[in-house]
Amino acid sequence: MDMPNRRLDRMLYSPAGQGIAAALSGLAAGLAPVSCVACGAPDHSLCRVCTARIRRGTLHPYPAQEGAGALPAAEPGVPGADPTGADPTGADPDLFVPLPVLAAGVYSGGLARTVLAFKNRGHTDLAGFLAPVLADVLQAAVTDVRRREGDVPLVLVPVPGTGGSLRKRGYFPLALLLRRLRRRRLLPAGCAVVSLVSIPTGYGTAGALLRRWNHGGGPAGASGPQKGLGRNARRRNVRNTMTAGMPGGLAGVNCLVIDDVLTTGATIAETVRALRRAGARVLGAAVIAATPAPERNTTPTDPAVPGVRSTGAGNGIARRE
Ligand SMILES: [Zn+2]
């Protein structure tokens, strides 16, 4: 299943590939000083050591949904407790089963610095490294879905970017990677990338809402930072900012949502809401990196931490913790 990826990896990491890559980054280095975005070593945007280390850390995609408290529910019938689908108790209707999300790696250390440099510091040259990472996690997510659903055609739907972020960066990082996958035929078989969800132009505050959400600001009228808000408040911040067209317009369409980084899951949740409102089924999501599960880096009593039980979450659904 990962033959094309292995081929690309071989090509990228072959002496000839490295030679070409080195020549190209040499050209760039001639224009501006370059250092490794992960460790700071001079001469390459991502040095050979970090390239190998970070790639190793992304070779085994893992289920990341339990760390993201704002994710929506899975489609009915999706087993939740066991990512392999083998758990017979997973279909218990009294339990909240979040949308299955596969992540290529943990959003920390070198991978986080690489993704950040690619997204926010104009390092589009890192697309050559990140594209095979995304290809692998997409393939794994599609394989997961087809194990549950059979060999269904799947539409891969990227979360929409905002006009503001395009103006700031000059490019849509996720779209750049997906174009590369399409060009190099690295998309999973039987899948097409279609930007079914958009943030309507003229939706004056959508970009501002997303930016506030991303940078820790609260919703209008709230005091205190976003991280002090509960799961439902975070979700309200991006709710109803996206559309996938008329209700029923996507009936019968099976989707997998793609994003670069999973934090609370609020952006994916809004994308899923728009798709489901248009009648599509959303069977899962795939991301390059996911923030570590909250249990690992916070106190368990913090009510603002997604995934940690909070009395204010009252939507009548018992949430698996
Ligand atoms: Zn390095």
Side-chain angles (χ1 to χ4, degrees):
M1 78 178 195
D2 54 353
M3 276 304 285
N5 304 340
R6 277 213 296 275
R7 232 177 0 250
L8 178 67
D9 277 5
R10 262 209 305 278
M11 198 173 79
L12 283 173
Y13 302 139
S14 70
Q18 289 287 310
I20 293 166
L24 289 175
S25 60
L27 278 177
L31 304 172
V34 174
S35 58
C36 174
V37 298
C39 75
D43 289 345
H44 296 92
S45 289
L46 198 57
C47 76
R48 192 184 293 256
V49 174
C50 291
T51 296
R53 188 172 46 78
I54 298 169
R55 188 70 176 106
R56 263 201 311 278
T58 61
L59 288 177
H60 305 287
Y62 70 99
Q65 62 268 22
E66 294 297 338
L71 284 173
E75 296 286 341
V78 172
D82 182 353
T84 65
D87 176 12
T89 67
D92 186 342
D94 290 336
L95 292 174
F96 177 90
V97 178
L99 185 81
V101 183
L102 273 192
V106 176
Y107 188 69
S108 65
L111 180 59
R113 285 192 287 272
T114 304
V115 170
L116 272 177
F118 173 67
K119 281 180 71 172
N120 297 338
R121 286 170 45 206
H123 264 290
T124 53
D125 54 339
L126 293 171
F129 174 80
L130 289 172
V133 174
L134 180 60
D136 280 358
V137 72
L138 283 180
Q139 183 61 66
V142 167
T143 302
D144 258 14
V145 167
R146 289 189 172 148
R147 199 157 41 213
R148 298 193 306 260
E149 302 280 332
D151 201 11
V152 291
L154 276 174
V155 180
L156 309 178
V157 183
V159 301
T162 66
S165 83
L166 180 61
R167 279 190 295 278
K168 197 174 78 186
R169 296 170 170 137
Y171 59 101
F172 279 135
L174 190 56
L176 201 70
L177 291 178
L178 289 170
R179 265 203 307 278
R180 198 178 177 101
L181 296 192
R182 197 155 28 194
R183 258 197 331 262
R184 297 183 181 221
R185 302 179 181 278
L186 287 174
L187 291 171
C191 295
V193 175
V194 187
S195 300
L196 292 176
V197 179
S198 60
I199 298 173
T201 4
Y203 200 116
T205 57
L209 280 171
L210 278 171
R211 272 197 301 282
R212 260 211 304 276
W213 173 72
N214 280 328
H215 294 298
S223 59
Q226 168 86 12
K227 65 180 179 192
L229 297 174
R231 182 155 64 94
N232 290 345
R234 284 167 195 254
R235 201 177 284 167
R236 273 196 300 276
N237 258 2
V238 284
R239 189 180 282 167
N240 295 320
T241 58
M242 300 179 190
T243 178
M246 298 292 288
L250 295 177
V253 176
N254 292 310
C255 303
L256 187 81
V257 171
I258 312 170
D259 202 356
D260 39 30
V261 178
L262 174 72
T263 49
T264 66
T267 312
I268 287 179
E270 172 58 11
T271 307
V272 171
R273 185 203 59 78
L275 286 168
R276 286 180 176 164
R277 184 168 178 277
R281 292 175 77 218
V282 184
L283 299 169
V287 298
I288 294 174
T291 48
E295 290 77 11
R296 285 188 231 165
N297 57 6
T298 53
T299 56
T301 52
D302 181 359
V305 173
V308 171
R309 194 178 299 280
S310 152
T311 51
N315 53 5
I317 303 170
R319 183 174 168 76
R320 188 199 307 275
E321 300 289 340

